[in-house]
Amino acid sequence: MIEGRIPIRTHIITEKDDIVDVVKKYTEKVAAPGDIIAVAESVVAISQGRAILPDAVKPGLLAHILCHFPGKEGSLAAAPSIQVAMGEVGTPRFLLGVAAAGLGRLVGRRGDFYRVAGRQLAQIDDFAGTMWPFDRHIVLGPKDPQNVVDRIKQVTGVDAIITDVNDIGKVDILAATGGVDEEALVQFLKDNPHGNDDQQTPIVVLVSAANMREYMPEDRQC
């Protein structure tokens, strides 16, 4: 059972970083077996080179039309973001998602866009969606998040998850090492312990109840 949280302040993570090395560096004196290392999906994606400046995107006519589509979903609110999203899943699938969203609203159902077009599109952070200097970028979801958490556990000996959490209580766990109770963690993360602004804490160590009793707070400083 998780009982406490330790936000970890890091340097500004860029595409020059290996996120597994970053996690090991900042958590090796903080996390212990039984804990869980939670990493924000945006910094994983950034380290994979999946942050794109809007000026580097040339939206087509379709993207310009869809950005004005009533009830546009999530962060896909600008033509460059829509163009990038269509590139991720393909234009036909994206349009099927738009059609499904429209039909879903007719019967009072939401979420059909992502169910059809692909959940990975919900992970796209539009402008101002993450920390400086990437607050002017479109940040896609991470590639192969399961491989990332498995590598983190391999080098740290501690379970790991990659999270997509916002400030209105929406929590998605994109990947987790084996044995992690994802359902319980969703409730524990609803107040978003990650800090994407001045806090600069994209890594959070979720401390187990057993380790909270074993270590005094001063022993668990990052």
Side-chain angles (χ1 to χ4, degrees):
M1 179 183 296
I2 297 299
E3 191 168 296
R5 301 182 295 201
I6 305 175
I8 307 293
R9 186 175 176 87
T10 71
H11 66 280
I12 297 293
I13 295 167
T14 73
E15 70 279 1
K16 296 179 180 178
D17 290 297
D18 183 316
I19 193 61
V20 177
D21 291 341
V22 171
V23 170
K24 182 176 185 296
K25 171 185 175 182
Y26 285 103
T27 66
E28 59 185 353
K29 295 182 180 179
V30 184
D35 297 338
I36 299 171
I37 299 170
V39 187
E41 47 87 26
S42 57
V43 297
V44 178
I46 287 167
S47 74
Q48 296 171 334
R50 291 174 61 76
I52 303 168
L53 280 168
D55 290 348
V57 180
K58 296 188 181 301
L61 176 62
L62 184 58
H64 281 290
I65 293 172
L66 290 175
C67 74
H68 299 292
F69 191 83
K72 49 189 175 289
E73 299 282 340
S75 63
L76 303 180
S81 304
I82 290 177
Q83 188 67 48
V84 168
M86 289 193 293
E88 279 286 285
V89 299
T91 300
R93 185 176 177 185
F94 189 95
L95 291 176
L96 282 174
V98 172
L103 292 173
R105 287 196 182 88
L106 292 177
V107 296
R109 187 176 61 229
R110 301 185 65 83
D112 286 341
F113 172 78
Y114 292 123
R115 278 190 284 272
V116 174
R119 290 300 307 170
Q120 66 267 42
L121 298 188
Q123 300 160 22
I124 295 176
D125 287 328
D126 208 335
F127 323 128
T130 190
M131 70 178 70
W132 182 91
F134 296 100
D135 53 344
R136 296 183 179 276
H137 291 63
I138 303 164
V139 181
L140 305 177
K143 283 287 189 184
D144 200 358
Q146 188 61 50
N147 178 60
V148 175
V149 295
D150 289 341
R151 287 174 57 214
I152 289 173
K153 184 167 185 179
Q154 183 178 22
V155 302
T156 65
V158 180
D159 280 312
I161 60 175
I162 294 175
T163 62
D164 183 5
V165 188
N166 64 26
D167 291 330
I168 58 173
K170 183 177 178 297
V171 180
D172 281 332
I173 295 178
L174 308 186
T177 47
V180 170
D181 186 346
E182 296 185 37
E183 186 174 341
L185 288 181
V186 166
Q187 298 302 315
F188 193 77
L189 294 168
K190 277 189 175 295
D191 62 345
N192 192 8
H194 293 292
N196 281 347
D197 202 346
D198 293 340
Q199 308 97 323
Q200 209 170 300
T201 54
I203 301 170
V204 177
V205 175
L206 307 177
V207 185
S208 68
N211 287 338
M212 285 287 286
R213 290 191 294 268
E214 182 177 352
Y215 296 97
M216 295 296 289
E218 58 267 23
D219 296 325
R220 303 296 296 274
Q221 297 299 311
C222 58

